[in-house]
């Protein structure tokens, strides 16, 4: 029995609305995948599930052919994995795009639920997703988050090592590891400091302290 056209329309519209709403939150924060991407992913998942269900309802001789409606749905999740990989960016010690990739994944799952007619599962998952993106984000922003950086400091002598370490620590940074490099031709020494900190103003204090020291040739902060 074919699915009623009005039921199909309901699933298509509902999937588009839910996917677009999640995409709107991502677009507000300047993410690569926004309203259109999330809407299309959710809509595609709805359509895939509807087509899969229709194939399952086809009158065939089950003694020769067995149709598994879950196979096409599994392929949809695999395809979304490639989209998710495309929005993940690694920069130094920071990885961006994980939440957006997870959103594409849950949007696809919501679309499959809508396409299957599991409206309660889709709507409840949508509510929890919106809660995680909007409410939990505000809670996370108020919490002090541990940040990681690598600071390279170049000097013309190793006699000031204790002073450099003291300045870094008093600026509010915790030193976790130190690597040393030496450039013999120019008689320069480089300290590569791996640090972590919670206070967002710690780097500003460090820059001010380092800028007034004459024995520091240059420094670079990355991560």
């Amino acid at each position: 029995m074919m699915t009623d056209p009005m039921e199909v329309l309901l699933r298509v519209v509902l999937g588009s609305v839910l996917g677009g709403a999640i995409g709107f939150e991502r677009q507000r924060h300047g993410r690569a995948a926004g309203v259109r991407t999330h809407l299309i992913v959710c809509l595609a998942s709805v359509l895939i599930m509807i087509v899969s269900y229709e194939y399952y309802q086809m009158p065939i001789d089950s003694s020769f052919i067995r149709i598994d409606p879950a196979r096409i749905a599994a392929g949809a999740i695999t395809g979304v994995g490639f989209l998710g990989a495309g929005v993940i960016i690694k920069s130094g010690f920071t990885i961006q795009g994980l939440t957006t990739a997870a959103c594409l994944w849950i949007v696809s799952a919501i679309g499959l639920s809508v396409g299957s007619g599991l409206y309660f599962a889709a709507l409840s998952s949508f509510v929890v997703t919106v809660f995680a993106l909007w409410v939990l984000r505000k809670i996370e922003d108020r919490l002090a988050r541990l940040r990681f950086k690598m600071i390279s400091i170049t000097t013309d002598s190793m006699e000031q090592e204790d002073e450099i370490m003291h300045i870094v620590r008093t600026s509010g940074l915790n030193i976790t590891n130190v690597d040393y490099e030496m450039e013999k031709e120019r008689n320069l020494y480089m300290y590569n400091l791996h640090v972590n900190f919670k206070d967002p103003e710690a780097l500003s204090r460090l820059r001010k302290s380092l800028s007034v020291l004459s024995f520091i040739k240059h420094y670079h902060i990355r991560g």
Side-chain angles (χ1 to χ4, degrees), residues 80-131:
V80 170
F82 287 97
L83 288 177
V87 299
I88 297 175
I89 301 173
K90 185 178 185 299
S91 176
F93 296 100
T94 304
I95 299 178
Q96 297 178 335
L98 288 176
T99 302
T100 302
C103 284
L104 290 173
W105 193 37
I106 188 63
V107 158
S108 179
I110 290 174
L112 293 174
S113 299
V114 173
S116 302
L118 303 175
Y119 301 125
F120 179 78
L123 290 172
S124 57
S125 298
F126 170 78
V127 170
V128 174
T129 302
V130 171
F131 175 82

Side-chain angles (χ1 to χ4, degrees), residues 153 155 157-169 175 178-180 191 193 215:
I153 302 175
T155 70
S157 173
M158 295 192 70
E159 297 179 358
Q160 294 85 10
E161 178 179 350
D162 292 339
E163 183 176 355
I164 292 174
M165 301 302 170
H166 176 72
I167 290 174
V168 172
R169 291 190 178 98
I175 302 174
V178 182
D179 297 326
Y180 301 91
Y191 302 89
L193 310 177
F215 59 84

Side-chain angles (χ1 to χ4, degrees), residues 15-202:
S16 301
V17 171
L18 297 182
I22 294 175
F24 174 74
E25 191 279 338
R26 293 287 81 198
Q27 187 163 319
R28 282 183 65 249
H29 293 95
R31 299 301 182 256
V35 175
R36 292 181 299 172
T37 303
H38 284 78
L39 188 153
I40 292 173
V41 168
C42 195
L43 178 59
S45 298
V46 171
L47 182 60
I48 286 171
M49 204 62 214
I50 292 175
V51 171
S52 180
Y53 179 77
E54 294 299 332
Y55 270 118
Y56 182 68
Q57 296 296 320
M58 290 176 60
I60 59 174
D61 187 351
S62 59
S63 61
F64 292 97
I65 301 176
R66 296 187 63 183
I67 297 178
D68 183 4
R71 287 192 176 184
I72 300 180
I77 296 296
T78 303
V80 170
F82 287 97
L83 288 177
V87 299
I88 297 175
I89 301 173
K90 185 178 185 299
S91 176
F93 296 100
T94 304
I95 299 178
Q96 297 178 335
L98 288 176
T99 302
T100 302
C103 284
L104 290 173
W105 193 37
I106 188 63
V107 158
S108 179
I110 290 174
L112 293 174
S113 299
V114 173
S116 302
L118 303 175
Y119 301 125
F120 179 78
L123 290 172
S124 57
S125 298
F126 170 78
V127 170
V128 174
T129 302
V130 171
F131 175 82
L133 292 174
W134 290 68
V135 180
L136 293 185
R137 181 185 182 90
K138 294 182 179 180
I139 295 175
E140 282 185 347
D141 290 342
R142 294 185 178 182
L143 298 176
R145 185 181 303 176
L146 194 63
R147 307 163 191 263
F148 298 87
K149 298 287 182 181
M150 189 171 84
I151 305 171
S152 299
I153 302 175
T154 303
T155 70
D156 55 6
S157 173
M158 295 192 70
E159 297 179 358
Q160 294 85 10
E161 178 179 350
D162 292 339
E163 183 176 355
I164 292 174
M165 301 302 170
H166 176 72
I167 290 174
V168 172
R169 291 190 178 98
T170 54
S171 297
L173 293 91
N174 178 44
I175 302 174
T176 59
N177 189 40
V178 182
D179 297 326
Y180 301 91
E181 295 181 22
M182 180 179 179
E183 189 176 337
K184 293 183 178 180
E185 295 180 357
R186 301 170 58 189
N187 195 31
L188 295 177
Y189 303 88
M190 179 182 292
Y191 302 89
N192 294 316
L193 310 177
H194 297 262
V195 301
N196 60 57
F197 57 96
K198 291 184 177 180
D199 185 0
E201 299 298 324

